[in-house]
Amino acid sequence: MKLLLLVALAVYVVGAYRFWKGFRRTSFSQGRVYLALLWPALMFNRSYRQNFTRALKG
């Protein structure tokens, strides 16, 4: 159980970090902190998901 929680936390942190670093490749102009921290919940939004993918590529 603790291992699963640790893996989930690691995935969350890595996703937020990679989005933060690739933010300039997205069409967003503000809200960097908000969008990076809430990325798992926002993945249900198609526009956000496309921008998230753009941020990770690079």
Side-chain angles (χ1 to χ4, degrees), residues 28-46:
F28 302 125
S29 60
Q30 57 188 6
R32 186 179 200 174
V33 173
Y34 167 77
L35 294 169
L37 293 176
L38 293 178
W39 74 265
L42 296 172
M43 290 302 284
F44 294 103
N45 181 302
R46 184 177 184 212

Side-chain angles (χ1 to χ4, degrees), residues 13-33:
V13 169
V14 169
Y17 175 77
R18 293 196 57 203
F19 181 81
W20 181 272
K21 295 305 261 182
F23 185 79
R24 60 180 160 64
R25 289 186 212 95
T26 68
S27 63
F28 302 125
S29 60
Q30 57 188 6
R32 186 179 200 174
V33 173

